[in-house]
Amino acid sequence: MNTADLGLPVDVPSTALFTDHYELTMLQAALKGGTADRRSVFEVFTRRLPEGRRYGVVAGTGRVLDAVENFRFDADVIGFLRERNVVDEPTLEWLASYRFGGDVWGYPEGEVYFAGSPVLRVEGSFAECVLLETVILSILNHDSAIAAAASRMASAAGGRPLIEMGARRTHELAAVAASRAAYVGGFTTTSDLAAGFRYGIPTVGTSAHAFTLVHDTERDAFRAQVDSLGRGTTLLVDTYDVAEAVRLAVEVAGPELGAVRIDSGDLLLVAHRVRQQLDELGATKARIIVTSDLDEYAIASLAAAPVDAYGVGTQLVTGSGHPTCSMVYKIVARAESADPKAPLLPVAKKSSGGKTSIGGRKWAARRLDTYGVAETEVIGTGPVPAELADSLLQVRLVKDGRVVAREALDVVRDRHARARANLPLSATQLSRGEPVIPTEYV
């Protein structure tokens, strides 16, 4: 079942109003001024990575493709715009038949990126491209920030499973997107059933402290859970006294106990004590899962602890201190006229304060060293050097308004694992530093 096609409650029927007011007023002025049909090229990039981050992760591309397809101004939306007098009637008539008919190229989802990387390129008429700015940026900025945090946490976890459990710490729809982005970045499961339903991400969960507290004794709570979910369940052992709870857990479930979860305290110390106690009680295969406001630094600090899996919530869905990637959507080329054959001219904003951009439609490639490890992100506007022809990063995503590059989420997740593995080893360091490879313009 392709749940992405079902129109689930976590979706919206149209993405047309996921935009800013001035996108439509620019459209009105362009239609009136005669520039709306000029062929244009817009690019998404970030001028710099978040402070201290060594690489970024492209995530949300699949959601962008859905958003472009669903960017439709139906009767209700047109009625809203007319009632609010947002734009005039000729513009409303144009919007009523809007369908994006251009091309989109971009880094494949899951790929890494750096400052200046043209992660997405949108080509078409000025009118049809300018409307997509806000929704594209809102998706890519959010999802890429979450995926980057997830990737750092996955590196810190060193192959141990990671559970995404941040739904209660963010907006209900953002939670679904965050779960998807976390899966791209290396998480293995989610607690959010909507994310499981919408994207097929494996879901997990057993019980919270409330379940223990509603019972007369901790033994009663464990017995009820084991009777219902089986001996292989995960029992939460820090509601009262951890050592006593572990003893009860093994007594109730036997040596077949699946796992215990620790949600508070000195996790490093407690994990060692719990592992020793489990082994002494014969539950040598019982796993230890830790939660409790973890981030990549806390996960790294537990590398030597006998921990089998981590559950992460707040820090993940807020990008671990960087909830956005500061991506921008800028016009970089446009035609002199509406003539389809008119040549494209590079254009760029000239500004002080670090907000300048580079004009021209860009290509991007990643130069590798003799060991196959990435050493430079190369960006250019002219001919592609022969030695980089096989290292180009951008792929076609939309052709003449039709999506041509949808992928299964597991394919995206595997791509990110490969892309991260091809970076220099210092990419996995959590200490603050410069981008792991430089950006070179040619």
Side-chain angles (χ1 to χ4, degrees):
M1 177 177 67
N2 185 1
T3 55
D5 297 330
L6 295 181
L8 303 177
V10 294
D11 289 329
V12 291
S14 169
T15 54
L17 292 184
F18 287 175
T19 192
D20 289 309
H21 187 117
Y22 80 166
E23 311 289 9
L24 272 63
T25 54
M26 280 194 289
L27 169 66
Q28 176 179 308
L31 289 169
K32 194 169 185 177
T35 54
D37 291 331
R38 286 190 175 185
R39 191 159 54 103
S40 301
V41 179
F42 287 78
E43 289 177 347
V44 176
F45 62 95
T46 184
R47 295 184 175 94
R48 64 192 63 84
L49 294 178
E51 183 180 358
R53 293 289 171 88
R54 296 172 182 266
Y55 63 93
V57 180
V58 178
T61 308
R63 297 206 310 118
V64 166
L65 299 179
D66 292 341
V68 171
E69 279 194 332
N70 292 321
F71 207 90
R72 305 282 187 268
F73 293 84
D74 58 27
D76 289 340
V77 171
I78 294 294
F80 165 79
L81 296 174
R82 179 180 290 115
E83 177 187 344
R84 298 295 180 93
N85 197 30
V86 175
V87 289
D88 60 19
E89 283 300 322
T91 305
L92 291 176
E93 291 177 12
W94 190 93
L95 289 172
S97 60
Y98 176 85
R99 299 291 186 274
F100 178 73
D103 297 332
V104 179
W105 292 72
Y107 282 37
E109 189 167 13
E111 184 58 83
V112 297
Y113 72 89
F114 300 90
S117 296
V119 298
L120 200 74
R121 187 174 76 231
V122 182
E123 302 187 23
S125 70
F126 174 81
E128 63 183 337
C129 294
V130 75
L131 293 179
L132 299 175
E133 175 181 7
T134 304
V135 70
I136 286 176
L137 288 179
S138 66
I139 292 172
L140 291 181
N141 268 314
H142 174 269
D143 290 24
S144 296
I146 305 305
S151 180
R152 285 163 58 86
M153 292 174 188
S155 291
R160 297 171 180 174
L162 290 158
I163 307 163
E164 184 280 312
M165 46 196 304
R168 63 190 62 192
R169 299 292 187 244
T170 188
H171 185 280
E172 66 271 20
L173 299 186
V176 182
S179 180
R180 181 186 183 280
Y183 192 69
V184 169
F187 275 59
T188 50
T189 54
T190 179
S191 66
D192 191 338
L193 289 175
F197 187 46
R198 178 68 176 82
Y199 296 115
I201 302 169
T203 60
V204 295
T206 50
S207 67
H209 292 102
F211 184 76
T212 300
L213 294 169
V214 78
H215 289 82
D216 294 336
T217 68
E218 196 166 38
R219 180 191 298 275
D220 291 342
F222 288 173
R223 173 54 63 194
Q225 184 173 326
V226 169
D227 287 347
S228 175
L229 302 178
R231 295 178 184 273
T233 191
T234 299
L235 295 175
L236 181 59
V237 295
D238 71 327
T239 305
Y240 303 118
D241 178 82
V242 172
E244 176 61 15
V246 171
R247 187 189 67 78
L248 286 173
V250 178
E251 183 178 310
V252 170
E256 298 87 2
L257 173 65
V260 296
R261 178 163 74 95
I262 307 166
D263 189 51
S264 60
D266 183 337
L267 297 178
L268 179 61
L269 176 63
V270 174
H272 277 287
R273 289 177 174 174
V274 168
R275 179 73 271 159
Q276 180 179 354
Q277 187 179 8
L278 287 170
D279 291 345
E280 289 173 351
L281 293 172
T284 57
K285 295 183 179 180
R287 298 177 302 130
I288 297 175
I289 300 170
V290 298
T291 51
S292 185
D293 294 326
L294 298 178
D295 61 10
E296 60 266 49
Y297 302 102
I299 292 170
S301 72
L302 294 168
V307 173
D308 298 286
Y310 307 91
V312 190
T314 303
Q315 291 300 318
L316 175 65
V317 300
T318 57
S320 194
H322 296 289
T324 180
C325 303
S326 298
M327 290 181 180
V328 294
Y329 183 95
K330 298 296 181 183
I331 186 170
V332 296
R334 53 90 174 169
E336 290 184 315
S337 68
D339 184 346
K341 297 181 180 179
L344 287 172
L345 302 175
V347 294
K349 173 183 178 181
K350 294 187 181 301
S351 173
S352 59
K355 282 197 169 185
T356 57
S357 56
I358 298 174
R361 179 202 278 128
K362 298 172 194 65
W363 53 264
R366 192 161 295 147
R367 183 181 293 125
L368 308 179
D369 65 16
T370 55
Y371 298 97
V373 177
E375 65 176 8
T376 311
E377 191 88 341
V378 185
I379 299 171
T381 56
V384 180
E387 68 272 16
L388 295 176
D390 293 331
S391 303
L392 293 176
L393 293 163
Q394 294 154 312
V395 297
R396 188 189 291 272
L397 302 170
V398 177
K399 178 177 174 57
D400 298 329
R402 182 174 61 88
V403 175
V404 296
R406 275 206 171 84
E407 297 179 301
L409 199 54
D410 282 333
V411 171
V412 174
R413 187 170 182 271
D414 290 344
R415 175 183 294 121
H416 175 63
R418 292 194 302 272
R420 187 177 62 203
N422 285 338
L423 293 176
L425 188 59
S426 58
T428 62
Q429 294 177 344
L430 298 182
S431 57
R432 291 181 178 274
E434 295 300 312
V436 70
I437 62 174
T439 300
E440 175 185 320
Y441 293 93
V442 298

